[in-house]
Amino acid sequence: MYGRDPWGGPLEINTADSATDDDRSRNLQDLDRAALSRPLDETQQSWLLGPTEQKKKKKYVDLGCIIVSRKIFVWTVGTLLVSGLLAGLITLIVKTVPRHHHRAPPPDNYTLALHKALMFFNAQRSGKLPKHNNVSWRGNSGLQDGKSDRSALMKDLVGGYYDAGDAIKFHFPKSFAMTMLSWSVIEYSAKYEAAGELNHVKEIIKWGTDYLLKTFNNTADTIDRIAAQVGVGDTSGGDSAPNDHYCWMRPEDIDYPRPVYECHSCSDLAAEMAAALASASIVFKDNKAYSQKLVHGATTLFKFARDQRGRYSAGGSDAALFYNSSSYWDEFVWGGAWMYYATGNQTYLQLATHPKLAKHAGAFWGGPDYGVLSWDNKLAGAQVLLSRMRLFLSPGYPYEEILSTFQNQTSIFMCSFLPYFTSFNRTKGGLIQLNHGRPQPLQYVVNAAFLAALYSDYLEAADTPGWYCGPNFYSTDILRQFAKTQIDYILGKNPRKMSYVVGFGNHYPKHVHHRGASIPKNNVKYSCKGGWKWRDTTKPNPNTIVGAMVAGPDKHDGFRDVRTNYNYTEPTLAGNAGLVAALVALSGEKSAGIDKNTIFSAVPPMFPTPPPPPAPWQP
């Protein structure tokens, strides 16, 4: 029998199914019991047993975003826990079991000497010393400087640095020393950082610039005088009045009046002081308020230098006996370059690159001292400094011609440093005689070593492998090698096997011409003449003036370690600044190189001025 399937299609009905409702009900009950005899899946069990029945463990774990197998989940968690325990155990073993350390390579000699050379500046400090000065035999001194001279306009001249083995504060070489230190920090801050000396050298510079700001009215835009010197050293008149050369006293014990020399027309001194403050403003560019204060002071000084022309040592002043300035034109080029880098004002660049100024400074003629950088002659430093601009900024017209000339001249005096040329003699031990055999040669040698190493790094950074000396090409390594041989000589690689840096090596001068180092700190105040016994004794100094580079050997490599002969044994502020600069340039890895950009931080983008059009064509 067929019926109709409501979903479509035929539905077959058996005759056996035509039973009564009771029979069908019984049959359904039998079917239900038969169905319950089969195993039910979890879903079916949940329908029948309800929530009170115990469930089997799930084979999967729901982690929210994914569902994973329970076995995989357990294995993963277990593996992580075991790995963590093993890692902790291994770390514990590694940290507790003794082992051999792979130590970093020891610092090179230049880095070791750098640490010591910087300490010399701590020993030369005047004024109220900081607690961390780290020179046990020094104390507060010069606390009446400026006040003891009633005629001086500047009453607070406490601080700064003593120049050499005496207690005079010569502002001309002091300013040059600060400029050299700032230049070295601008170029090699990473090397100072690697040596752990960056904060120290910046503190040394700030001690100097803080004092220089006291030597004139630094809040004014226009000034009419600056303090040039504190103390006096002239003993040529036979006068036995106490002064800083006649007396042999510790600076802490000075009780005689110290005059202040002021100048009203001193272009060389003012321009050098401007260079010191301008270069330091770049060193402290992250301290915006202090940097701006330095720039303002430098601007005021440079304006004074240009307005009130004259040499600071003219007229037979005391300074002329010790630091006589030959001219101020080189300071104009040098100071103008630093003013441009510090301010970005193109007026300074136009001045520093003016051909007439360069001519007055001696840029276009040779002479026996051509290319020798010193506290008196800054031309060589200015030429290197301005060559830097051409190498990295390429300002083009109208500066290209004079900058190209400066770089060519830099190449010429770099050639003169090399042993293949005869511009300068050398001792048998290999020391270049940049001052032609005159006494105190080392201060000139360290400056040349710094310029050579620095220019070598400039060329490397500009992807230039070397430079030409006439038809011959020399690699940058030759320049660096020159710098190394000269500094190595100073550090002990010389015929006498003597280090001329006190405290470096085992054999160095023990009778340094220095009042503070030669008089014991024994709570005894020695009078002006009472200290002469310490000057004249043949015993070594009771105090070691660590890092002091003495004046140096003679032209035959000879050296007399005698306290009374300052031509051999006296250190100076300017000499040590050049030493520090040369040491940091040679220290560490050569690959560290220079900081190409910091010096240009205040310089705006340069868009070359188009050259003037050619004259109209005429038939």
Side-chain angles (χ1 to χ4, degrees):
M1 183 177 179
Y2 294 90
R4 187 72 182 169
D5 183 356
W7 302 106
L11 176 64
E12 183 178 356
I13 302 175
N14 295 323
T15 54
D17 289 336
S18 60
T20 64
D21 291 341
D22 290 340
D23 292 335
R24 282 198 296 274
S25 176
R26 282 194 295 270
N27 290 339
L28 284 173
Q29 289 176 5
D30 291 338
L31 288 171
D32 288 341
R33 282 194 294 270
L36 289 174
S37 67
R38 295 196 308 271
L40 302 177
D41 60 24
E42 287 185 359
T43 303
Q44 291 171 326
Q45 288 184 33
S46 67
W47 292 343
L48 297 173
L49 297 177
T52 56
E53 291 290 332
Q54 183 149 0
K55 300 178 183 179
K56 287 186 179 181
K57 284 187 178 180
K58 295 183 180 181
K59 295 182 181 180
Y60 302 95
V61 177
D62 188 351
L63 297 178
C65 55
I66 57 171
I67 298 175
V68 297
S69 167
R70 176 177 292 277
K71 285 185 179 181
I72 294 175
F73 178 75
V74 171
W75 272 101
T76 303
V77 173
T79 303
L80 290 174
L81 288 174
V82 172
S83 300
L85 288 172
L86 284 174
L89 184 61
I90 292 169
T91 303
L92 185 65
I93 293 171
V94 168
K95 287 190 173 182
T96 54
V97 174
R99 63 191 185 278
H100 295 290
H101 292 277
H102 293 287
R103 295 180 181 177
D108 55 75
N109 280 345
Y110 308 120
T111 303
L112 294 173
L114 176 66
H115 296 311
K116 298 183 181 298
L118 287 168
M119 284 302 297
F120 171 75
F121 292 89
N122 293 41
Q124 294 301 101
R125 277 179 172 157
S126 178
K128 189 174 182 180
L129 303 184
K131 292 181 180 179
H132 57 279
N133 197 51
N134 297 330
V135 181
S136 61
W137 45 273
R138 282 302 321 280
N140 299 335
S141 63
L143 300 181
Q144 296 300 312
D145 284 352
K147 301 173 187 175
S148 62
D149 190 337
R150 294 181 180 180
S151 65
L153 185 66
M154 313 301 167
K155 294 301 182 184
D156 180 11
L157 292 173
V158 176
Y161 293 99
Y162 300 124
D163 174 67
D166 49 44
I168 303 177
K169 294 192 283 197
F170 290 108
H171 300 167
F172 190 49
K174 183 207 300 281
S175 299
F176 174 68
M178 294 303 107
T179 310
M180 288 293 286
L181 289 180
S182 292
W183 193 5
S184 71
V185 172
I186 292 166
E187 302 287 9
Y188 297 111
S189 60
K191 289 191 174 187
Y192 275 114
E193 184 75 53
E197 292 286 3
L198 182 58
N199 290 334
H200 185 196
V201 70
K202 289 174 72 172
E203 182 189 346
I204 288 169
I205 294 168
K206 191 171 187 297
W207 189 270
T209 52
D210 282 350
Y211 175 78
L212 291 177
L213 288 169
K214 293 181 175 184
T215 63
F216 66 102
N217 184 1
N218 68 76
T219 60
D221 295 330
T222 303
I223 57 175
D224 66 348
R225 73 186 72 194
I226 54 178
Q229 177 180 330
V230 178
V232 61
D234 186 7
T235 59
S236 59
D239 188 2
S240 60
N243 73 19
D244 294 291
H245 276 187
Y246 183 77
C247 298
W248 196 269
M249 299 175 69
R250 298 178 69 242
E252 293 80 359
D253 296 335
I254 289 175
D255 53 7
Y256 50 81
R258 285 158 57 81
V260 176
Y261 288 87
E262 294 180 344
C263 64
H264 297 268
S265 57
C266 35
S267 300
D268 36 19
L269 173 60
E272 183 55 62
M273 289 171 63
L277 298 186
S279 57
S281 74
I282 303 172
V283 171
F284 296 105
K285 67 183 181 67
D286 294 334
N287 183 346
K288 191 173 181 180
Y290 188 63
S291 182
Q292 288 178 344
K293 186 177 183 180
L294 292 172
V295 168
H296 181 267
T299 304
T300 300
L301 284 167
F302 203 75
K303 181 179 185 300
F304 172 68
R306 297 281 292 152
D307 292 344
Q308 303 292 329
R309 300 289 181 90
R311 291 188 304 116
Y312 93 106
S313 57
S317 67
D318 190 76
L321 299 173
F322 308 100
Y323 289 100
N324 184 45
S325 174
S326 55
S327 78
Y328 52 76
W329 299 106
D330 55 309
E331 278 83 19
F332 279 167
V333 182
W334 171 249
W338 280 117
M339 289 299 299
Y340 175 67
Y341 284 137
T343 65
N345 186 338
Q346 288 206 9
T347 304
Y348 295 116
L349 181 59
Q350 290 165 5
L351 177 71
T353 57
H354 199 288
K356 287 186 178 179
L357 200 65
K359 180 180 178 181
H360 286 310
F364 304 121
W365 55 276
D369 298 324
Y370 190 79
V372 179
L373 175 63
S374 72
W375 53 264
D376 180 33
N377 190 349
K378 318 321 188 312
L379 178 61
Q383 288 171 325
V384 172
L385 195 60
L386 291 168
S387 295
R388 189 193 211 283
M389 182 179 300
R390 182 172 187 259
L391 284 167
F392 300 120
L393 292 188
S394 300
Y397 180 85
Y399 306 110
E400 171 59 24
E401 185 176 354
I402 188 67
L403 291 180
S404 174
T405 300
F406 281 154
Q407 188 172 352
N408 289 338
Q409 291 164 344
T410 298
S411 297
I412 290 170
F413 70 73
M414 290 294 168
C415 297
S416 72
F417 294 159
L418 304 185
Y420 318 111
F421 301 91
T422 57
S423 302
F424 300 102
N425 293 328
R426 279 171 165 72
T427 66
K428 289 184 178 179
L431 185 70
I432 190 169
Q433 296 291 285
L434 294 169
N435 64 338
H436 306 285
R438 295 190 292 269
Q440 307 173 30
L442 296 188
Q443 59 180 312
Y444 308 100
V445 173
V446 290
N447 289 341
F450 171 63
L451 290 185
L454 180 62
Y455 192 61
S456 169
D457 286 340
Y458 282 176
L459 294 177
E460 290 275 349
D463 296 323
T464 305
W467 84 112
Y468 279 95
C469 295
N472 300 318
F473 185 82
Y474 294 96
S475 74
T476 55
D477 291 335
I478 299 293
L479 270 183
R480 197 169 188 84
Q481 190 59 33
F482 159 75
K484 284 185 174 183
T485 57
Q486 298 305 302
I487 298 301
D488 288 347
Y489 181 104
I490 293 170
L491 297 181
K493 197 172 181 180
N494 54 61
R496 297 182 63 86
K497 308 297 183 200
M498 170 177 273
S499 165
Y500 293 111
V501 177
V502 176
F504 183 84
N506 298 319
H507 184 36
Y508 52 81
K510 302 294 197 299
H511 304 80
V512 179
H513 181 94
H514 192 276
R515 286 159 176 76
S518 65
I519 302 175
K521 185 181 180 183
N522 54 9
N523 296 321
V524 176
K525 180 178 178 179
Y526 296 95
S527 65
C528 176
K529 291 185 179 180
W532 288 5
K533 69 174 184 178
W534 298 109
R535 178 193 67 188
D536 299 332
T537 180
T538 57
K539 293 181 180 179
N541 288 348
N543 307 309
T544 303
I545 182 163
V546 173
M549 183 185 74
V550 296
D554 58 30
K555 59 184 178 181
H556 304 294
D557 297 307
F559 182 81
R560 296 184 63 208
D561 189 5
V562 178
R563 191 178 297 105
T564 52
N565 195 329
Y566 58 85
N567 281 330
Y568 287 111
T569 58
E570 187 171 23
T572 65
L573 212 61
N576 259 71
L579 172 67
V580 166
L583 288 171
V584 75
L586 294 174
S587 68
E589 295 293 329
K590 177 189 170 185
S591 57
I594 59 161
D595 180 341
K596 288 174 63 175
N597 299 318
T598 294
I599 200 170
F600 301 129
S601 55
V603 175
M606 301 189 76
F607 300 101
T609 305
W617 179 82
Q618 293 180 353

